[in-house]
Amino acid sequence: QFIESISKLKKLRELTICSDKVTKLGLRVIAEKTGIEKLTILSNTLTRQDIGVLLATERFDNLELEFRGGKLTYAREKETDR
């Protein structure tokens, strides 16, 4: 599977996927087995429940998700030195 092969790219930090073939299992691989920090996914087949695994991963600095019935944008604020 394409997403399994992505998990082997240890230096990959940014990924954009535009596909209706993304699965819940694929999202779990992205969340648990990659170093991706900025992720954009556009998919009409994913649901709010499917993206839960991504939201539970605190590693992402930036998420942009468009899925069936919704859209979510998240950007972690950069820590500032005081």
Side-chain angles (χ1 to χ4, degrees):
Q1 181 179 351
F2 172 71
I3 293 183
E4 279 289 336
S5 63
I6 287 173
S7 69
K8 294 177 177 64
L9 302 172
K10 300 302 178 191
K11 293 185 179 183
L12 183 66
R13 295 293 176 255
E14 205 171 306
L15 179 65
T16 298
I17 299 174
C18 300
S19 174
D20 289 341
K21 295 184 179 187
V22 180
T23 64
K24 190 174 184 176
L25 177 60
L27 296 181
R28 183 170 301 282
V29 170
I30 290 170
E32 297 175 357
K33 296 184 180 180
T34 71
I36 295 169
E37 297 169 351
K38 181 178 181 183
L39 177 64
T40 302
I41 297 178
L42 308 172
S43 176
N44 290 318
T45 56
L46 295 175
T47 65
R48 190 173 307 277
Q49 290 78 22
D50 293 336
I51 65 168
V53 68
L54 298 175
L55 301 177
T57 303
E58 296 181 10
R59 174 176 36 79
F60 295 109
D61 290 334
N62 188 297
L63 281 174
E64 292 184 39
L65 308 171
E66 284 193 37
F67 51 94
R68 185 173 59 215
K71 183 176 182 178
L72 179 129
T73 301
Y74 167 81
R76 184 187 321 268
E77 288 187 24
K78 300 286 182 192
E79 294 182 15
T80 58
D81 295 330
R82 294 181 188 232

